[in-house]
Structures are given as structure tokens and as C-alpha cells.
Amino acid sequence: MTQISVIGSGAEHEERAEAVGRLLAERGAVVVCGGHGEVMAAAARGAKSAGGTTIGILPGESKSAANPWIDHVIVTGIGHARNLAVVASGDAVIAVGGRWGTLAEIGFARALGRYVVILEPGWELEDVPRADTPEQAVELALSRARAGA
Amino acid sequence: MTQISVIGSGAEHEERAEAVGRLLAERGAVVVCGGHGEVMAAAARGAKSAGGTTIGILPGESKSAANPWIDHVIVTGIGHARNLAVVASGDAVIAVGGRWGTLAEIGFARALGRYVVILEPGWELEDVPRADTPEQAVELALSRARAGA
Amino acid sequence: MTQISVIGSGAEHEERAEAVGRLLAERGAVVVCGGHGEVMAAAARGAKSAGGTTIGILPGESKSAANPWIDHVIVTGIGHARNLAVVASGDAVIAVGGRWGTLAEIGFARALGRYVVILEPGWELEDVPRADTPEQAVELALSRARAGA
Amino acid sequence: MTQISVIGSGAEHEERAEAVGRLLAERGAVVVCGGHGEVMAAAARGAKSAGGTTIGILPGESKSAANPWIDHVIVTGIGHARNLAVVASGDAVIAVGGRWGTLAEIGFARALGRYVVILEPGWELEDVPRADTPEQAVELALSRARAGA
């Protein structure tokens, strides 16, 4: 099954993240995220609205911190280091907004050779492709994921 | 959804592990394991034979190491430290055989307050309950998991 | 430089842990521990009383949790998973008391091929050697560490 | 003791990294790095040339991968996730060159509230201060570290 990681944060990006999650689910991809709120919750909510499957990879030691749209909760207990697992578990990664934690995730994703696309607006980083719309971001991520990145 | 972690290793324990996986799936629990071979593969195979859902939490950096019965692959990239995530992601834990990595998992599970049951034969540890059969192990794990451990 | 990890917990074991730390420092070994209290603090205190060097590997995200006898503080941010780093950083491991976290550390140490000796009293585990006195534990650990375990 | 993390990669940055390590040691700071080659080795070599102390935090499971200028080797076994420990263990962070792993480290450092300065040339990131020379980078890092960041 194709797994796409959706990363990011910021309440102002929730609408775009929800569209990303919905489009991924409509095209049969499982949505992987960090399991918490804002962009993570919106992506999962979008996926569930289209009948998709969601995985949340939490930093803490308890399932209870997962947002209500997570089907399968991974409790890592490793704090911020769970960011590595979030991007490593995706066949490709879509970044929606986000600050320092998202920067760490983009760095890890590329260190591992995962394809990353940044949905406008977001971090400006050389050698990381960008998409103007959720549709374009999903199209890029899925085409690269299914090509084996 | 109730998630039960099945841990352990040793080819001689595969039959018991497969029974554990099947019984868990028949009773509606998702099977979480380390995603590799022997006990981990057998538990996942058993769960799939009963139409269940399986999650494999890998130590390495690539999905390709997952056994073929894993539905959702978590790629952690953190080596043996993924043992923490394997047991933390279970509402309860069943140990089937196993050596040093399993000992680490039992230690972590109990440090986090997760219920652990050891299916005979296996590590002998004071204060860790034991079960004689897969049926008994599954019954104990599910009753404790659903009681909030 | 030879590094020996001292693991364990329990206030009733502090005197033995302090002796272990002192003896290791007298013989030129650096003491590695988890950086917190009880056995970890006692081992570090013992090492400093003999002019030794100490390293504390913390689970949290701040140096401030280190006990006052730690020279070099490693802040991992990975919670219980730091137990892996504690034992992996030792050329050999001495266990003094301890409960579930110590069990996880012994499991990891042996999974990585590190020599472990349990100072009486402590976990009873098949295939893990035991020592009756701090002197004997230190002698065993150093002889195995310097032989390349 | 003040600990400053030096991060980065790229053989073309070794001279600057060695100067950073030397200046830190001259001013009494312990140098923390990832323990491998290029920038990490150069920073440690510089520190040792000035009689300083060095800590290397390795991703793998064996001490043997440490460069020869590391005094204290931390073996984490957690792969790229050790990048979190590298920056968390610094009271401040100096980035010298570097690619994706360095980006992850900068992200983690800032997520944890650690001060980061990028020595020219290097990643261009909004809200991350820059220094033109090793002297300026060290001055900024130490002044912020000693002020409690």
C-alpha cells in the first residue's frame, strides 16, 4: 500500500492540509502524520472524509494524544526523534506550512532519499520542489512514490 | 481500536505465534509487531488468515524489510530503539519466545505500565504473568487492554 | 579510553554503586550512566571522589536534570530509548539493583554483544554472570572491556 | 561546563570547522559533534590542538566509527535520530556547511530553543543568525550559551 506522509503545522494551513488528506485517500494512499493537531489533524480528517486510512506517529508515551481521525496510533516514546519515523514511513512526503519541526522532517526525508514537495506557502529551500495547489502536491507525491521515489 | 503487540523470536515458536495472531484478529484486535521474521511474521500471518489488520514497526530505514503479512509499515530508522515503539503502541503485550531484544521489550513495556503476558515457554521474570496456551494469552491481554491495562 | 556503563536504580543500592564508581575511576575507566538519581548519582559520585570522569546520558531535553557529579551531559530527548545509548556507550556494563528500565538495558546490552555483570542482589537472568562484591564486578567488567568484550 | 555543538559536513569546510573547534577549546568550551568525518573530525581536531575536550555522538552501534580526536564516544544506536542528541547536548550550536542532516539538526535545535549560528557559507534560513568568521561564530555561540541561550 502506498503511504504518503503529510507534515507541517499552523492553523492557517488546515484547509490545504485537509484537501491534501482527502485527495490522497481518494487515490488510495494511506496518510501518515505526526498524530497531533492542526495540519496533522486536518490531513487525517480529510483522509477519513474520503474513506481513507490514517496512521499517526506520536512522540509521547500514550495513545491518548492522538487526534480523533487517526485509525492506527504508533506510540514511539522518543519525543522529537519521532519526526524521523514520520517521514521514513512515507513513500513520499508533502509539507504543508510548518516551522522548526517541519524543517527537521524535510532534512531527514531528504537524507533518507524520500521525495519531498512543499505546498505553497512554506519553507523556501533550494533543491526542494514546490506545488501551488493540493492537487499538484498530491499528484507529484504519488507519481514519485509509485515510481519508487 | 484495540492494538496488541506480539513480541518474541525463535523459529520453534512460530506455530504458537501464528495462533496468537489469528485469535487476536478474530476478536477484533489489530496486531502490532516488529515487522521482521519468525515470531513477528507468524503473528502477522495468523492475523491476516483471520482477516485482521497488522502493523510492523521496523528498525531500519526502508519498507522493504517488512514481512509480506504487514499491512502498515512503520519505518523508524532508530535500530533497536524501535523496540520501545513496538511495546508502547500496544494496549497490552504478548511475548512468544524471544531472547535479548524481547527482554528489552518486556522491560520497556513494564516501565511504561503496559500489561505483559509471557506465553510458555519464555523468559522467567518475577512479576510477569504467564499463559499456558495462545487462547489464555490472548484472553488475558485483551481483558487487560480493554480495562485500560 | 575505557568506558564502563553503570546501570540500575533503588536507594538501597547506592552504597554499592558508589563503590563501583570509585573503583572504576581508580582504575582509569570513565563512568557512563543515565545521569539521574539513586544508583546513577551514586556511581558518578564515587567516580568523582576518586578523581574520575563521568558521562550522564539523559532521557529529557534539558541539561538541568543531570545529577551534580556528571562532567559531560548528553541530552538525548528520546525518553526511555536513551537506555540503548547508555549501554551501547559502555565497553562493558555493571548492573546494580534496578527494575524494568534496567531489564531493558540488560536486554539491549546483550543484543549488542556488550558484556554485562549483575552485582548481587539484582535481576536473576540466565546467561548473565553475577558478582558478589563491587570489586569483583569491576574486575570482571574491566577485564572483559579491555579484551574487547 | 559549557558544551557547544558543531554540526555540518563537506570537506571544503574543514578549515573553518577546525578554527571553530580550536577557538571553542581556547575559551574553555567542550566541543560536541556527530563523531564522524569532515566537519565533525575537523572541529574535534581543532579542539584537541588547543588542549580541549571533545564528545562524539555516533549514530551506529560501535565506538570504532569515531574519528581519532574524540575523547568521549557516545554510541546511540539510533541512526539519524542521533542528530537530535547532538544539538540537544549543546548549550548553543554552530553550523559549518552541511546538507540535509544539518538541516534536520538546525530544525531540532530551534525546536528545542537552542541558539544556532550559521557560519558563512551555509543554509540560508530565515530567523537563523549568520557569522562571517569562526571568531564571530564562536563569540555569538558562547555569549548566548552562557546567558542560558
Side-chain angles (χ1 to χ4, degrees):
Chain A
M1 248 176 289
T2 300
Q3 298 181 171
I4 303 292
S5 300
V6 182
I7 63 175
S9 62
E12 70 274 28
H13 303 293
E14 287 183 25
E15 195 175 341
R16 276 183 295 269
E18 188 162 350
V20 166
R22 181 174 46 77
L23 291 162
L24 286 169
E26 285 173 358
R27 296 185 58 179
V30 172
V31 171
V32 176
C33 71
H36 279 175
E38 295 181 351
V39 159
M40 300 176 256
R45 191 168 59 237
K48 294 311 295 177
S49 76
T53 297
T54 59
I55 295 172
I57 303 180
L58 295 175
E61 299 179 350
S62 164
K63 275 173 89 169
S64 61
N67 71 61
W69 298 279
I70 299 298
D71 293 317
H72 304 299
V73 183
I74 308 303
V75 179
T76 66
I78 58 170
H80 289 284
R82 77 78 148 81
N83 290 17
L84 176 61
V86 170
V87 295
S89 298
D91 298 299
V93 178
I94 301 174
V96 186
R99 286 293 285 163
W100 302 113
T102 303
L103 193 68
E105 288 172 315
I106 294 171
F108 275 146
R110 292 301 297 267
L112 293 174
R114 299 297 188 279
Y115 177 82
V116 179
V117 56
I118 295 173
L119 177 58
E120 295 283 5
W123 278 105
E124 300 212 2
L125 298 166
E126 53 172 332
D127 298 334
V128 184
R130 312 180 72 78
D132 289 322
T133 63
E135 287 75 10
Q136 191 189 359
V138 167
E139 174 58 33
L140 283 167
L142 285 177
S143 63
R144 293 301 293 266
R146 285 166 179 166
Chain B
M1 250 177 287
T2 301
Q3 297 181 173
I4 303 292
S5 300
V6 182
I7 63 175
S9 62
E12 69 274 29
H13 303 293
E14 288 184 24
E15 195 175 341
R16 276 184 294 270
E18 187 162 351
V20 166
R22 181 175 46 75
L23 291 162
L24 286 169
E26 286 173 358
R27 295 185 59 178
V30 173
V31 171
V32 177
C33 71
H36 280 175
E38 294 181 352
V39 160
M40 300 175 257
R45 190 168 59 238
K48 294 311 296 176
S49 76
T53 298
T54 59
I55 296 172
I57 303 181
L58 296 174
E61 299 179 350
S62 163
K63 276 173 88 170
S64 61
N67 71 61
W69 299 279
I70 298 299
D71 293 316
H72 304 300
V73 183
I74 308 302
V75 179
T76 66
I78 58 171
H80 289 284
R82 78 81 148 78
N83 290 18
L84 176 61
V86 170
V87 295
S89 299
D91 298 300
V93 178
I94 300 173
V96 186
R99 285 294 285 163
W100 302 114
T102 304
L103 195 69
E105 289 172 315
I106 295 171
F108 274 147
R110 292 300 298 267
L112 293 174
R114 300 296 189 280
Y115 177 81
V116 179
V117 57
I118 295 173
L119 178 56
E120 294 286 4
W123 278 104
E124 300 211 2
L125 298 167
E126 53 172 333
D127 298 335
V128 183
R130 311 180 73 79
D132 289 322
T133 63
E135 288 75 12
Q136 191 188 359
V138 167
E139 173 59 32
L140 283 167
L142 285 177
S143 63
R144 293 301 293 267
R146 286 165 180 167
Chain C
M1 251 177 287
T2 301
Q3 299 180 170
I4 303 292
S5 300
V6 183
I7 62 175
S9 61
E12 70 275 27
H13 303 293
E14 288 184 24
E15 195 175 339
R16 276 183 294 269
E18 187 162 349
V20 166
R22 181 173 47 76
L23 292 162
L24 286 169
E26 286 173 359
R27 296 185 59 179
V30 173
V31 171
V32 176
C33 71
H36 279 174
E38 295 181 352
V39 160
M40 300 175 257
R45 192 168 57 237
K48 294 311 295 176
S49 76
T53 298
T54 59
I55 296 172
I57 303 180
L58 296 174
E61 299 179 350
S62 164
K63 275 173 88 169
S64 61
N67 70 61
W69 298 279
I70 298 299
D71 294 317
H72 304 300
V73 183
I74 307 303
V75 180
T76 66
I78 58 171
H80 288 284
R82 78 78 150 79
N83 289 18
L84 175 61
V86 170
V87 296
S89 298
D91 298 299
V93 178
I94 300 174
V96 187
R99 286 293 284 163
W100 302 113
T102 303
L103 194 69
E105 289 172 314
I106 295 170
F108 275 146
R110 291 302 296 267
L112 293 175
R114 298 297 188 282
Y115 177 80
V116 179
V117 57
I118 295 173
L119 178 57
E120 295 284 4
W123 279 104
E124 300 211 2
L125 298 166
E126 55 173 329
D127 298 334
V128 183
R130 313 179 73 78
D132 289 321
T133 63
E135 288 75 11
Q136 192 188 358
V138 166
E139 174 59 32
L140 284 167
L142 285 177
S143 64
R144 293 302 292 268
R146 286 167 179 165
Chain D
M1 249 177 288
T2 300
Q3 297 180 173
I4 303 293
S5 300
V6 182
I7 62 175
S9 62
E12 69 275 28
H13 302 293
E14 287 184 25
E15 195 176 340
R16 275 183 294 269
E18 188 162 349
V20 166
R22 180 174 46 76
L23 291 162
L24 287 169
E26 286 174 359
R27 295 185 58 177
V30 172
V31 171
V32 177
C33 71
H36 280 175
E38 294 181 351
V39 160
M40 300 176 256
R45 191 167 59 236
K48 293 311 295 177
S49 76
T53 298
T54 58
I55 296 172
I57 303 180
L58 296 174
E61 299 180 351
S62 164
K63 275 173 89 170
S64 61
N67 70 61
W69 298 278
I70 298 298
D71 293 316
H72 304 298
V73 183
I74 307 303
V75 180
T76 66
I78 57 171
H80 289 284
R82 77 79 149 80
N83 290 18
L84 176 61
V86 170
V87 295
S89 298
D91 298 300
V93 178
I94 300 174
V96 186
R99 287 293 285 163
W100 301 113
T102 304
L103 195 69
E105 289 172 315
I106 294 171
F108 275 147
R110 292 301 298 267
L112 292 175
R114 299 296 188 281
Y115 177 81
V116 180
V117 57
I118 295 173
L119 178 58
E120 296 284 5
W123 278 105
E124 300 212 1
L125 298 167
E126 55 173 329
D127 298 335
V128 183
R130 312 179 74 77
D132 289 322
T133 64
E135 287 75 11
Q136 192 188 359
V138 167
E139 173 60 32
L140 283 167
L142 284 177
S143 63
R144 293 302 292 267
R146 286 168 178 164

